[in-house]
Short mmCIF file of all heavy atoms in Angstrom, two decimals:
data_model
loop_
_atom_site.label_atom_id
_atom_site.label_comp_id
_atom_site.label_asym_id
_atom_site.label_seq_id
_atom_site.Cartn_x
_atom_site.Cartn_y
_atom_site.Cartn_z
N LYS A 12 -68.30 43.07 -25.34
CA LYS A 12 -68.92 42.47 -26.51
C LYS A 12 -67.83 42.05 -27.49
O LYS A 12 -66.97 42.84 -27.84
CB LYS A 12 -69.86 43.47 -27.18
CG LYS A 12 -70.54 42.94 -28.43
CD LYS A 12 -71.59 41.91 -28.09
CE LYS A 12 -71.94 41.07 -29.30
NZ LYS A 12 -72.79 39.93 -28.96
N ARG A 13 -67.89 40.77 -27.86
CA ARG A 13 -66.90 40.22 -28.78
C ARG A 13 -67.56 40.00 -30.12
O ARG A 13 -68.65 39.45 -30.21
CB ARG A 13 -66.43 38.87 -28.24
CG ARG A 13 -64.95 38.71 -28.18
CD ARG A 13 -64.48 37.39 -27.62
NE ARG A 13 -65.50 36.45 -27.24
CZ ARG A 13 -65.83 36.16 -25.98
NH1 ARG A 13 -65.22 36.76 -24.99
NH2 ARG A 13 -66.75 35.27 -25.71
N TYR A 17 -64.57 36.75 -39.42
CA TYR A 17 -64.34 35.50 -40.14
C TYR A 17 -63.28 35.70 -41.20
O TYR A 17 -63.29 36.67 -41.94
CB TYR A 17 -65.64 35.02 -40.78
CG TYR A 17 -66.63 34.53 -39.77
CD1 TYR A 17 -67.57 35.39 -39.24
CD2 TYR A 17 -66.60 33.21 -39.34
CE1 TYR A 17 -68.48 34.94 -38.29
CE2 TYR A 17 -67.50 32.76 -38.41
CZ TYR A 17 -68.44 33.63 -37.87
OH TYR A 17 -69.32 33.19 -36.95
N ARG A 20 -65.61 33.30 -44.61
CA ARG A 20 -67.00 33.18 -44.19
C ARG A 20 -67.64 32.13 -45.09
O ARG A 20 -67.90 32.36 -46.26
CB ARG A 20 -67.69 34.53 -44.38
CG ARG A 20 -69.13 34.56 -43.84
CD ARG A 20 -69.11 34.65 -42.36
NE ARG A 20 -69.87 33.59 -41.75
CZ ARG A 20 -70.93 33.80 -40.97
NH1 ARG A 20 -71.35 35.00 -40.75
NH2 ARG A 20 -71.54 32.79 -40.42
N GLN A 22 -70.79 29.78 -45.01
CA GLN A 22 -71.95 29.35 -44.25
C GLN A 22 -72.48 28.01 -44.76
O GLN A 22 -73.64 27.87 -45.06
CB GLN A 22 -73.06 30.39 -44.36
CG GLN A 22 -72.80 31.56 -43.44
CD GLN A 22 -73.77 32.65 -43.70
OE1 GLN A 22 -74.12 32.92 -44.83
NE2 GLN A 22 -74.22 33.31 -42.65
N SER A 23 -71.62 27.06 -44.92
CA SER A 23 -72.15 25.77 -45.35
C SER A 23 -71.59 24.67 -44.47
O SER A 23 -70.47 24.74 -43.98
CB SER A 23 -71.83 25.51 -46.82
OG SER A 23 -70.55 24.98 -46.94
N LEU A 24 -72.43 23.68 -44.31
CA LEU A 24 -72.10 22.59 -43.43
C LEU A 24 -70.92 21.81 -43.99
O LEU A 24 -70.04 21.36 -43.26
CB LEU A 24 -73.32 21.68 -43.31
CG LEU A 24 -73.44 20.84 -42.06
CD1 LEU A 24 -73.48 21.74 -40.85
CD2 LEU A 24 -74.72 20.01 -42.13
N SER A 27 -67.66 23.31 -43.19
CA SER A 27 -67.33 23.11 -41.78
C SER A 27 -66.87 21.69 -41.51
O SER A 27 -65.91 21.46 -40.78
CB SER A 27 -68.55 23.39 -40.90
OG SER A 27 -69.13 24.58 -41.28
N ARG A 33 -65.98 24.90 -37.34
CA ARG A 33 -66.64 26.01 -38.01
C ARG A 33 -65.59 26.92 -38.65
O ARG A 33 -64.40 26.75 -38.45
CB ARG A 33 -67.47 26.81 -37.02
CG ARG A 33 -68.77 26.15 -36.69
CD ARG A 33 -69.71 27.13 -36.06
NE ARG A 33 -70.02 28.22 -36.99
CZ ARG A 33 -70.66 29.31 -36.63
NH1 ARG A 33 -71.02 29.47 -35.39
NH2 ARG A 33 -70.93 30.25 -37.50
N ALA A 73 -80.18 48.78 -26.61
CA ALA A 73 -81.48 48.52 -27.26
C ALA A 73 -81.83 47.03 -27.25
O ALA A 73 -82.88 46.65 -27.73
CB ALA A 73 -81.45 49.02 -28.70
N ARG A 74 -80.95 46.20 -26.69
CA ARG A 74 -81.12 44.75 -26.59
C ARG A 74 -81.07 44.04 -27.94
O ARG A 74 -81.46 42.88 -28.04
CB ARG A 74 -82.44 44.39 -25.87
CG ARG A 74 -82.44 44.83 -24.43
CD ARG A 74 -83.77 44.59 -23.77
NE ARG A 74 -84.04 43.16 -23.62
CZ ARG A 74 -85.23 42.69 -23.24
NH1 ARG A 74 -86.21 43.50 -23.00
NH2 ARG A 74 -85.42 41.40 -23.11
N ILE A 75 -80.63 44.74 -28.98
CA ILE A 75 -80.50 44.07 -30.28
C ILE A 75 -79.31 43.12 -30.21
O ILE A 75 -79.35 42.00 -30.69
CB ILE A 75 -80.31 45.11 -31.40
CG1 ILE A 75 -81.59 45.92 -31.55
CG2 ILE A 75 -79.94 44.44 -32.71
CD1 ILE A 75 -81.44 47.15 -32.38
N ARG A 77 -76.54 41.22 -27.60
CA ARG A 77 -76.40 40.86 -26.19
C ARG A 77 -74.94 40.87 -25.81
O ARG A 77 -74.11 40.28 -26.51
CB ARG A 77 -76.96 39.46 -25.96
CG ARG A 77 -78.46 39.45 -26.00
CD ARG A 77 -78.98 38.29 -25.22
NE ARG A 77 -80.20 37.78 -25.80
CZ ARG A 77 -80.63 36.54 -25.65
NH1 ARG A 77 -79.89 35.67 -24.98
NH2 ARG A 77 -81.74 36.15 -26.18
N ASP A 79 -71.43 39.91 -24.18
CA ASP A 79 -70.86 38.61 -23.80
C ASP A 79 -70.52 38.59 -22.33
O ASP A 79 -70.45 37.54 -21.71
CB ASP A 79 -69.60 38.33 -24.63
CG ASP A 79 -69.95 38.12 -26.08
OD1 ASP A 79 -70.74 37.20 -26.35
OD2 ASP A 79 -69.46 38.87 -26.93
N GLU A 94 -82.75 52.59 -37.19
CA GLU A 94 -83.04 52.77 -38.60
C GLU A 94 -84.53 52.98 -38.67
O GLU A 94 -85.30 52.12 -38.25
CB GLU A 94 -82.63 51.55 -39.41
CG GLU A 94 -82.74 51.80 -40.88
CD GLU A 94 -82.17 50.65 -41.67
OE1 GLU A 94 -80.97 50.39 -41.55
OE2 GLU A 94 -82.94 50.01 -42.37
N ALA A 97 -87.66 50.45 -39.85
CA ALA A 97 -87.01 49.15 -40.07
C ALA A 97 -88.03 48.03 -40.17
O ALA A 97 -87.84 47.08 -40.91
CB ALA A 97 -86.04 48.85 -38.93
N GLY A 98 -89.13 48.15 -39.44
CA GLY A 98 -90.09 47.06 -39.43
C GLY A 98 -91.16 47.16 -40.51
O GLY A 98 -92.07 46.36 -40.52
N HIS A 100 -93.27 46.78 -43.78
CA HIS A 100 -93.40 45.79 -44.84
C HIS A 100 -93.82 46.53 -46.10
O HIS A 100 -94.85 47.19 -46.12
CB HIS A 100 -94.44 44.74 -44.45
CG HIS A 100 -94.43 43.56 -45.37
ND1 HIS A 100 -94.84 43.65 -46.67
CD2 HIS A 100 -94.02 42.29 -45.19
CE1 HIS A 100 -94.71 42.47 -47.25
NE2 HIS A 100 -94.20 41.63 -46.36
N GLU A 102 -95.23 45.92 -48.89
CA GLU A 102 -96.51 45.70 -49.57
C GLU A 102 -97.69 46.22 -48.76
O GLU A 102 -98.79 46.37 -49.28
CB GLU A 102 -96.72 44.21 -49.85
CG GLU A 102 -95.73 43.59 -50.83
CD GLU A 102 -96.01 43.99 -52.27
OE1 GLU A 102 -97.05 44.63 -52.54
OE2 GLU A 102 -95.18 43.67 -53.13
N LEU A 103 -97.48 46.48 -47.48
CA LEU A 103 -98.60 46.90 -46.64
C LEU A 103 -98.74 48.42 -46.67
O LEU A 103 -97.80 49.14 -46.98
CB LEU A 103 -98.39 46.42 -45.20
CG LEU A 103 -98.31 44.91 -45.01
CD1 LEU A 103 -98.14 44.58 -43.54
CD2 LEU A 103 -99.53 44.22 -45.57
N GLU A 107 -101.38 50.13 -41.94
CA GLU A 107 -101.09 48.80 -41.41
C GLU A 107 -99.70 48.75 -40.80
O GLU A 107 -99.47 48.11 -39.78
CB GLU A 107 -101.22 47.75 -42.53
CG GLU A 107 -102.65 47.51 -42.96
CD GLU A 107 -102.79 46.78 -44.29
OE1 GLU A 107 -101.85 46.83 -45.12
OE2 GLU A 107 -103.83 46.17 -44.50
N LEU A 111 -98.26 47.72 -37.11
CA LEU A 111 -97.25 46.68 -37.01
C LEU A 111 -96.01 47.18 -36.28
O LEU A 111 -95.52 46.57 -35.32
CB LEU A 111 -96.88 46.19 -38.41
CG LEU A 111 -95.78 45.16 -38.49
CD1 LEU A 111 -96.21 43.88 -37.81
CD2 LEU A 111 -95.44 44.87 -39.94
N ALA A 114 -96.53 47.82 -32.66
CA ALA A 114 -96.55 46.57 -31.89
C ALA A 114 -95.14 46.05 -31.67
O ALA A 114 -94.80 45.56 -30.59
CB ALA A 114 -97.40 45.53 -32.60
N ILE A 115 -94.29 46.19 -32.70
CA ILE A 115 -92.90 45.75 -32.55
C ILE A 115 -92.23 46.56 -31.45
O ILE A 115 -91.46 46.04 -30.65
CB ILE A 115 -92.13 45.90 -33.89
CG1 ILE A 115 -92.64 44.87 -34.88
CG2 ILE A 115 -90.63 45.74 -33.67
CD1 ILE A 115 -92.08 45.01 -36.26
N SER A 119 -99.68 48.40 -27.37
CA SER A 119 -100.87 47.59 -27.56
C SER A 119 -101.74 48.26 -28.62
O SER A 119 -101.56 49.43 -28.95
CB SER A 119 -101.65 47.46 -26.26
OG SER A 119 -102.26 48.69 -25.97
N ARG A 120 -102.68 47.49 -29.13
CA ARG A 120 -103.55 48.00 -30.18
C ARG A 120 -104.28 49.27 -29.72
O ARG A 120 -104.40 50.24 -30.46
CB ARG A 120 -104.54 46.91 -30.58
CG ARG A 120 -105.39 47.33 -31.73
CD ARG A 120 -106.12 46.19 -32.38
NE ARG A 120 -106.66 46.68 -33.63
CZ ARG A 120 -106.03 46.65 -34.77
NH1 ARG A 120 -104.84 46.11 -34.85
NH2 ARG A 120 -106.56 47.15 -35.86
N LYS A 145 -94.20 50.87 -50.12
CA LYS A 145 -93.16 50.75 -51.16
C LYS A 145 -93.28 51.88 -52.17
O LYS A 145 -92.33 52.17 -52.89
CB LYS A 145 -93.26 49.40 -51.85
CG LYS A 145 -94.55 49.23 -52.59
CD LYS A 145 -94.54 48.01 -53.44
CE LYS A 145 -95.88 47.94 -54.15
NZ LYS A 145 -96.05 46.77 -54.95
N ARG B 10 -96.29 39.61 -25.26
CA ARG B 10 -96.18 40.15 -26.61
C ARG B 10 -97.22 39.57 -27.54
O ARG B 10 -97.01 39.48 -28.74
CB ARG B 10 -94.77 39.92 -27.16
CG ARG B 10 -93.65 40.53 -26.34
CD ARG B 10 -93.85 42.03 -26.08
NE ARG B 10 -93.71 42.87 -27.25
CZ ARG B 10 -92.56 43.43 -27.63
NH1 ARG B 10 -91.47 43.24 -26.97
NH2 ARG B 10 -92.53 44.20 -28.70
N GLU B 12 -99.92 40.79 -28.56
CA GLU B 12 -100.39 41.76 -29.54
C GLU B 12 -99.45 41.79 -30.74
O GLU B 12 -99.88 41.86 -31.88
CB GLU B 12 -100.42 43.15 -28.92
CG GLU B 12 -101.39 43.28 -27.81
CD GLU B 12 -102.53 44.24 -28.15
OE1 GLU B 12 -102.57 44.72 -29.30
OE2 GLU B 12 -103.35 44.50 -27.28
N LEU B 13 -98.15 41.75 -30.43
CA LEU B 13 -97.18 41.75 -31.51
C LEU B 13 -97.32 40.48 -32.33
O LEU B 13 -97.27 40.50 -33.55
CB LEU B 13 -95.76 41.86 -30.93
CG LEU B 13 -94.63 41.77 -31.94
CD1 LEU B 13 -94.80 42.78 -33.06
CD2 LEU B 13 -93.30 41.97 -31.26
N ASN B 16 -100.16 40.86 -34.55
CA ASN B 16 -99.82 41.80 -35.63
C ASN B 16 -98.92 41.17 -36.68
O ASN B 16 -99.07 41.42 -37.86
CB ASN B 16 -99.12 43.03 -35.04
CG ASN B 16 -100.10 44.15 -34.77
OD1 ASN B 16 -100.65 44.74 -35.69
ND2 ASN B 16 -100.35 44.42 -33.51
N ARG B 20 -99.60 40.50 -40.55
CA ARG B 20 -98.69 40.91 -41.60
C ARG B 20 -98.48 39.77 -42.59
O ARG B 20 -98.51 39.97 -43.80
CB ARG B 20 -97.34 41.32 -40.99
CG ARG B 20 -96.31 41.71 -42.01
CD ARG B 20 -95.00 42.10 -41.37
NE ARG B 20 -94.16 40.96 -41.12
CZ ARG B 20 -92.84 40.96 -41.28
NH1 ARG B 20 -92.23 42.05 -41.67
NH2 ARG B 20 -92.14 39.90 -41.02
N ARG B 23 -101.78 39.36 -44.57
CA ARG B 23 -102.09 40.45 -45.48
C ARG B 23 -101.14 40.48 -46.65
O ARG B 23 -101.52 40.80 -47.77
CB ARG B 23 -102.02 41.78 -44.74
CG ARG B 23 -103.25 42.05 -43.93
CD ARG B 23 -103.07 43.36 -43.20
NE ARG B 23 -104.24 43.68 -42.41
CZ ARG B 23 -104.19 44.36 -41.27
NH1 ARG B 23 -103.02 44.77 -40.83
NH2 ARG B 23 -105.27 44.64 -40.60
N SER B 24 -99.86 40.20 -46.37
CA SER B 24 -98.89 40.36 -47.44
C SER B 24 -98.82 39.13 -48.34
O SER B 24 -98.30 39.20 -49.43
CB SER B 24 -97.50 40.65 -46.85
OG SER B 24 -97.12 39.61 -45.99
N LYS B 27 -100.95 39.73 -51.51
CA LYS B 27 -101.02 41.08 -52.06
C LYS B 27 -100.59 41.04 -53.51
O LYS B 27 -99.69 40.30 -53.90
CB LYS B 27 -100.08 42.02 -51.28
CG LYS B 27 -100.70 42.63 -50.05
CD LYS B 27 -101.34 43.99 -50.30
CE LYS B 27 -102.42 44.31 -49.30
NZ LYS B 27 -101.98 45.16 -48.21
N ARG B 28 -101.22 41.85 -54.32
CA ARG B 28 -100.88 41.98 -55.73
C ARG B 28 -101.08 40.69 -56.53
O ARG B 28 -100.45 40.50 -57.56
CB ARG B 28 -99.44 42.45 -55.89
CG ARG B 28 -99.25 43.91 -55.49
CD ARG B 28 -97.81 44.27 -55.47
NE ARG B 28 -97.17 43.98 -56.75
CZ ARG B 28 -97.18 44.79 -57.78
NH1 ARG B 28 -97.80 45.91 -57.73
NH2 ARG B 28 -96.56 44.46 -58.89
N LEU B 101 -85.21 43.21 -39.86
CA LEU B 101 -85.92 43.49 -38.61
C LEU B 101 -85.06 43.10 -37.40
O LEU B 101 -84.98 43.82 -36.42
CB LEU B 101 -87.22 42.68 -38.62
CG LEU B 101 -88.43 43.25 -37.95
CD1 LEU B 101 -88.67 44.68 -38.41
CD2 LEU B 101 -89.65 42.39 -38.26
N ILE B 102 -84.41 41.94 -37.50
CA ILE B 102 -83.63 41.43 -36.38
C ILE B 102 -82.45 42.34 -36.08
O ILE B 102 -82.11 42.57 -34.93
CB ILE B 102 -83.15 40.00 -36.69
CG1 ILE B 102 -84.35 39.06 -36.71
CG2 ILE B 102 -82.12 39.53 -35.67
CD1 ILE B 102 -84.03 37.66 -37.16
N ARG B 103 -81.85 42.89 -37.14
CA ARG B 103 -80.67 43.73 -36.94
C ARG B 103 -81.01 45.11 -36.38
O ARG B 103 -80.15 45.80 -35.88
CB ARG B 103 -79.93 43.91 -38.27
CG ARG B 103 -79.05 42.75 -38.58
CD ARG B 103 -78.03 43.10 -39.65
NE ARG B 103 -77.89 42.00 -40.57
CZ ARG B 103 -78.40 41.96 -41.78
NH1 ARG B 103 -79.06 42.99 -42.25
NH2 ARG B 103 -78.25 40.92 -42.54
N LYS B 104 -82.25 45.53 -36.52
CA LYS B 104 -82.56 46.92 -36.20
C LYS B 104 -83.49 47.14 -35.01
O LYS B 104 -83.56 48.24 -34.49
CB LYS B 104 -83.17 47.60 -37.43
CG LYS B 104 -82.23 47.70 -38.60
CD LYS B 104 -81.03 48.55 -38.29
CE LYS B 104 -80.03 48.48 -39.43
NZ LYS B 104 -78.76 49.11 -39.09
N VAL B 105 -84.27 46.15 -34.66
CA VAL B 105 -85.22 46.35 -33.56
C VAL B 105 -85.15 45.16 -32.62
O VAL B 105 -84.88 44.04 -33.05
CB VAL B 105 -86.69 46.43 -34.06
CG1 VAL B 105 -87.48 47.41 -33.20
CG2 VAL B 105 -86.80 46.79 -35.51
N TYR B 106 -85.41 45.45 -31.34
CA TYR B 106 -85.47 44.33 -30.43
C TYR B 106 -86.91 43.89 -30.20
O TYR B 106 -87.79 44.71 -29.98
CB TYR B 106 -84.84 44.66 -29.06
CG TYR B 106 -85.14 43.53 -28.11
CD1 TYR B 106 -84.42 42.34 -28.21
CD2 TYR B 106 -86.19 43.58 -27.20
CE1 TYR B 106 -84.73 41.26 -27.42
CE2 TYR B 106 -86.51 42.51 -26.41
CZ TYR B 106 -85.77 41.35 -26.52
OH TYR B 106 -86.08 40.27 -25.76
N PHE B 107 -87.13 42.62 -30.24
CA PHE B 107 -88.37 42.01 -29.77
C PHE B 107 -88.02 40.53 -29.69
O PHE B 107 -87.02 40.10 -30.26
CB PHE B 107 -89.53 42.26 -30.74
CG PHE B 107 -89.28 41.76 -32.13
CD1 PHE B 107 -89.71 40.51 -32.53
CD2 PHE B 107 -88.58 42.55 -33.04
CE1 PHE B 107 -89.47 40.05 -33.80
CE2 PHE B 107 -88.32 42.09 -34.31
CZ PHE B 107 -88.77 40.83 -34.70
N ARG B 109 -87.37 37.14 -30.67
CA ARG B 109 -87.26 36.65 -32.06
C ARG B 109 -88.06 35.38 -32.31
O ARG B 109 -88.38 35.06 -33.45
CB ARG B 109 -85.80 36.41 -32.43
CG ARG B 109 -85.05 37.65 -32.85
CD ARG B 109 -84.83 38.59 -31.68
NE ARG B 109 -84.28 39.86 -32.06
CZ ARG B 109 -83.01 40.19 -31.88
NH1 ARG B 109 -82.18 39.35 -31.37
NH2 ARG B 109 -82.60 41.37 -32.23
N VAL B 172 -79.68 30.01 -39.52
CA VAL B 172 -78.97 31.28 -39.61
C VAL B 172 -77.46 31.04 -39.69
O VAL B 172 -76.75 31.69 -40.43
CB VAL B 172 -79.31 32.18 -38.40
CG1 VAL B 172 -78.40 33.38 -38.34
CG2 VAL B 172 -80.77 32.61 -38.46
N TYR B 173 -77.01 30.03 -38.95
CA TYR B 173 -75.57 29.73 -38.92
C TYR B 173 -75.15 28.86 -40.10
O TYR B 173 -74.10 29.04 -40.66
CB TYR B 173 -75.22 29.06 -37.60
CG TYR B 173 -75.38 29.96 -36.40
CD1 TYR B 173 -76.62 30.18 -35.84
CD2 TYR B 173 -74.28 30.62 -35.85
CE1 TYR B 173 -76.78 31.02 -34.75
CE2 TYR B 173 -74.43 31.47 -34.77
CZ TYR B 173 -75.68 31.66 -34.21
OH TYR B 173 -75.83 32.50 -33.15
N PHE B 174 -76.00 27.90 -40.41
CA PHE B 174 -75.72 27.03 -41.57
C PHE B 174 -76.91 27.08 -42.52
O PHE B 174 -77.95 26.50 -42.22
CB PHE B 174 -75.53 25.57 -41.14
CG PHE B 174 -74.38 25.36 -40.23
CD1 PHE B 174 -74.59 25.00 -38.91
CD2 PHE B 174 -73.09 25.52 -40.69
CE1 PHE B 174 -73.52 24.80 -38.06
CE2 PHE B 174 -72.01 25.32 -39.84
CZ PHE B 174 -72.22 24.96 -38.52
N ARG B 175 -76.72 27.74 -43.65
CA ARG B 175 -77.84 27.85 -44.58
C ARG B 175 -78.19 26.51 -45.23
O ARG B 175 -79.15 26.40 -45.95
CB ARG B 175 -77.55 28.89 -45.66
CG ARG B 175 -77.22 30.26 -45.12
CD ARG B 175 -78.43 30.95 -44.51
NE ARG B 175 -78.03 31.93 -43.50
CZ ARG B 175 -77.97 33.24 -43.70
NH1 ARG B 175 -78.34 33.74 -44.83
NH2 ARG B 175 -77.57 34.06 -42.73
N ASP B 176 -77.38 25.49 -44.97
CA ASP B 176 -77.65 24.17 -45.53
C ASP B 176 -78.90 23.54 -44.93
O ASP B 176 -79.51 22.67 -45.53
CB ASP B 176 -76.52 23.18 -45.23
CG ASP B 176 -75.18 23.70 -45.61
OD1 ASP B 176 -74.83 24.78 -45.14
OD2 ASP B 176 -74.49 23.01 -46.37
N ASP B 267 -79.87 32.33 -30.09
CA ASP B 267 -80.41 33.69 -30.12
C ASP B 267 -79.33 34.72 -29.80
O ASP B 267 -79.35 35.84 -30.29
CB ASP B 267 -81.54 33.76 -29.07
CG ASP B 267 -82.33 35.05 -29.21
OD1 ASP B 267 -82.38 35.58 -30.33
OD2 ASP B 267 -82.90 35.50 -28.21
N HIS B 268 -78.39 34.32 -28.97
CA HIS B 268 -77.35 35.18 -28.45
C HIS B 268 -76.64 36.03 -29.52
O HIS B 268 -76.43 37.21 -29.35
CB HIS B 268 -76.35 34.30 -27.74
CG HIS B 268 -75.43 35.06 -26.85
ND1 HIS B 268 -75.84 35.58 -25.64
CD2 HIS B 268 -74.14 35.39 -26.99
CE1 HIS B 268 -74.84 36.20 -25.10
NE2 HIS B 268 -73.80 36.12 -25.88
N ARG B 269 -76.26 35.40 -30.61
CA ARG B 269 -75.50 36.12 -31.63
C ARG B 269 -76.31 36.37 -32.90
O ARG B 269 -75.74 36.69 -33.95
CB ARG B 269 -74.23 35.34 -32.00
CG ARG B 269 -73.45 34.80 -30.84
CD ARG B 269 -72.15 34.24 -31.34
NE ARG B 269 -71.26 35.31 -31.75
CZ ARG B 269 -70.42 35.93 -30.92
NH1 ARG B 269 -70.34 35.55 -29.67
NH2 ARG B 269 -69.66 36.89 -31.35
N ALA B 271 -78.32 38.67 -34.13
CA ALA B 271 -78.29 39.94 -34.85
C ALA B 271 -76.97 40.12 -35.62
O ALA B 271 -76.91 40.84 -36.60
CB ALA B 271 -78.48 41.10 -33.88
N GLU B 272 -75.92 39.44 -35.17
CA GLU B 272 -74.64 39.57 -35.88
C GLU B 272 -74.54 38.60 -37.04
O GLU B 272 -73.94 38.89 -38.06
CB GLU B 272 -73.47 39.29 -34.93
CG GLU B 272 -73.39 40.23 -33.77
CD GLU B 272 -72.98 39.51 -32.51
OE1 GLU B 272 -71.92 38.88 -32.50
OE2 GLU B 272 -73.73 39.57 -31.52
N GLU B 273 -75.12 37.40 -36.83
CA GLU B 273 -74.88 36.34 -37.81
C GLU B 273 -75.88 36.32 -38.95
O GLU B 273 -75.62 35.77 -39.99
CB GLU B 273 -74.92 34.97 -37.09
CG GLU B 273 -73.88 34.81 -36.00
CD GLU B 273 -72.55 34.27 -36.53
OE1 GLU B 273 -72.48 33.95 -37.71
OE2 GLU B 273 -71.60 34.19 -35.74
#
Side-chain angles (χ1 to χ4, degrees):
Chain A
K12 179 72 198 171
R13 230 178 1 253
Y17 289 92
R20 186 76 235 241
Q22 281 171 322
S23 84
L24 205 60
S27 313
R33 283 197 62 190
R74 295 175 68 190
I75 293 167
R77 286 205 213 155
D79 292 302
E94 189 173 297
H100 191 291
E102 295 285 352
L103 299 181
E107 289 164 336
L111 176 64
I115 290 174
S119 72
R120 184 165 192 90
K145 64 171 180 183
Chain B
R10 301 306 291 268
E12 295 246 5
L13 176 54
N16 266 291
R20 178 180 85 142
R23 280 178 180 149
S24 58
K27 274 267 156 98
R28 289 172 55 85
L101 213 49
I102 292 173
R103 278 197 221 104
K104 296 297 173 189
V105 214
Y106 171 76
F107 58 94
R109 278 70 188 257
V172 169
Y173 294 80
F174 298 112
R175 303 290 154 101
D176 309 55
D267 191 28
H268 196 74
R269 314 188 71 88
E272 299 142 57
E273 300 272 356

